[in-house]
Amino acid sequence: MREVDVAIVGGGIAGIVAATKLIESGRDVLVLDKSKSVGGRLATRRINGGRADHGAQFFTVRTDQFQQLVDQWEQNGWVSKWYGENHARYKSMNGMNQLVKHIASEVPVHLSYKLDRIERDGDFYTLVSDEGNVVKARTVLLTPPAPQSLELLQSSDIQLSEYAIQSLSRIVFQPALVGLITLNEEVATTLPNSGHQDADLPDGIERMVDSYSKGISKERVISIYATSELSKSLYKEEDEVILGELLSRVSSFINSEHTASSQLKRWRYAQAEEVHSAPTLWVSERESIVVAGDAFLRNDDQSGRTRIESAVLSGLAAAKELNDR
Ligand SMILES: Cc1cc2nc3c(=O)[nH]c(=O)nc-3n(C[C@H](O)[C@H](O)[C@H](O)COP(=O)(O)OP(=O)(O)OC[C@H]3O[C@@H](n4cnc5c(N)ncnc54)[C@H](O)[C@@H]3O)c2cc1C
């Protein structure tokens, strides 16, 4: 059984950034993630000889604190400006997932570990996975999408304050459906040179991205993002039905005769429409358990939007609070 100072649940960008800061301060940290790779919603899929981002496509920078990190990532050659003259959109080289893998290179991570519940055990917490694997930690940082963190806390043997329950219950996420389409080799699209289009799109389509023009894929893979309204209304349909609907809506961009393959990504929790207005949330005064992630916005954040920057700032705030405690 592994025993650590801080267990971080979630190897998305919030959890990984928090881990790097805690390790810098000499803390013994272990990140637990249910997936086969770190990254969370910074997700990249390989398809045949190509690859495509199918979660976040880019990030923007509104704060000096995040800009300092991004400058470092740019110097390391991990990210570059993609498009947007006045308000840069940054992409990660070789796909968004790769950025988190770079940041996590020195972080101990236990993958394929789905946390089922937390039990109190004297000065320690026992974290039990769905397969019965156990990790012990003095402190826990939870970074799954907030509704999943609430679910985990409610099935755990710990004291949750009324304030924490109410705050977490108020955070509401929208789903997202993303179609990934490969085309017959010789076919071009009418997307802009950057490969990104988020205006003048058919009803129900939020954005389209060509990963070849984006510069992250040797082969053309098109990511088609449904709006949250369309995603909600189609979410329970079969993959084929959803893909058929997406392709018929974008027929002015992609002739279905040129489609070589299609697959679907479903995000149950994509972006939040209701957020928490503080960068972290302690579950109660008695417990050393803190919740963070993209839905925990600094109270000076005017945007109200869950995004990569809000996830990073929340992860940094959680690490600082854990260090100060
Ligand atoms: C379709 C889509 C498009 C987006 N577009 C953009 C964009 O263009 N720009 C932008 O800035 N942001 C965008 N976002 C939002 C952005 O991706 C997120 O805000 C950010 O990645 C969240 O990071 P996080 O670390 O808070 O959470 P996550 O990335 O969700 O990380 C949470 C991690 O927790 C793990 N986990 C969950 N439950 C458990 C459990 N029980 N046990 C163990 N591990 C668990 C998950 O596997 C995951 O790795 C988009 C998101 C989606 C889905």
Side-chain angles (χ1 to χ4, degrees), residues 152-208:
L152 276 168
L153 289 165
Q154 286 182 319
S155 51
S156 294
D157 172 27
I158 47 136
Q159 196 186 73
L160 259 180
S161 73
E162 207 41 52
Y163 174 72
I165 296 172
Q166 279 177 15
S167 303
L168 288 168
S169 306
R170 269 199 292 266
I171 302 173
V172 179
F173 269 77
Q174 296 300 336
L177 296 170
V178 185
L180 295 164
I181 312 299
T182 60
L183 303 176
N184 302 331
E185 226 172 281
E186 71 283 5
V187 177
T189 70
T190 53
L191 293 171
N193 289 343
S194 66
H196 182 270
Q197 179 144 354
D198 63 359
D200 305 322
L201 285 165
D203 197 33
I205 305 299
E206 187 168 286
R207 88 180 65 243
M208 288 177 70

Side-chain angles (χ1 to χ4, degrees), residues 17-37:
V17 164
T20 59
K21 288 291 158 195
L22 289 163
I23 291 167
E24 272 170 33
S25 312
R27 308 287 293 269
D28 177 25
V29 170
L30 178 64
V31 173
L32 307 167
D33 199 291
K34 65 180 181 183
S35 303
K36 291 193 193 118
S37 159

Side-chain angles (χ1 to χ4, degrees), residues 99-202:
L99 171 62
V100 188
K101 287 187 176 167
H102 282 307
I103 305 169
S105 64
E106 305 289 317
V107 175
V109 181
H110 188 153
L111 295 171
S112 304
Y113 183 105
K114 183 173 184 198
L115 181 66
D116 182 59
R117 64 186 186 280
I118 304 171
E119 290 165 5
R120 186 82 192 236
D121 179 9
D123 284 345
F124 280 88
Y125 293 100
T126 303
L127 288 86
V128 187
S129 80
D130 59 347
E131 291 177 344
N133 293 321
V134 168
V135 170
K136 278 189 178 273
R138 283 185 189 279
T139 314
V140 180
L141 166 59
L142 290 176
T143 68
Q148 289 181 313
S149 288
L150 177 60
E151 222 174 284
L152 276 168
L153 289 165
Q154 286 182 319
S155 51
S156 294
D157 172 27
I158 47 136
Q159 196 186 73
L160 259 180
S161 73
E162 207 41 52
Y163 174 72
I165 296 172
Q166 279 177 15
S167 303
L168 288 168
S169 306
R170 269 199 292 266
I171 302 173
V172 179
F173 269 77
Q174 296 300 336
L177 296 170
V178 185
L180 295 164
I181 312 299
T182 60
L183 303 176
N184 302 331
E185 226 172 281
E186 71 283 5
V187 177
T189 70
T190 53
L191 293 171
N193 289 343
S194 66
H196 182 270
Q197 179 144 354
D198 63 359
D200 305 322
L201 285 165

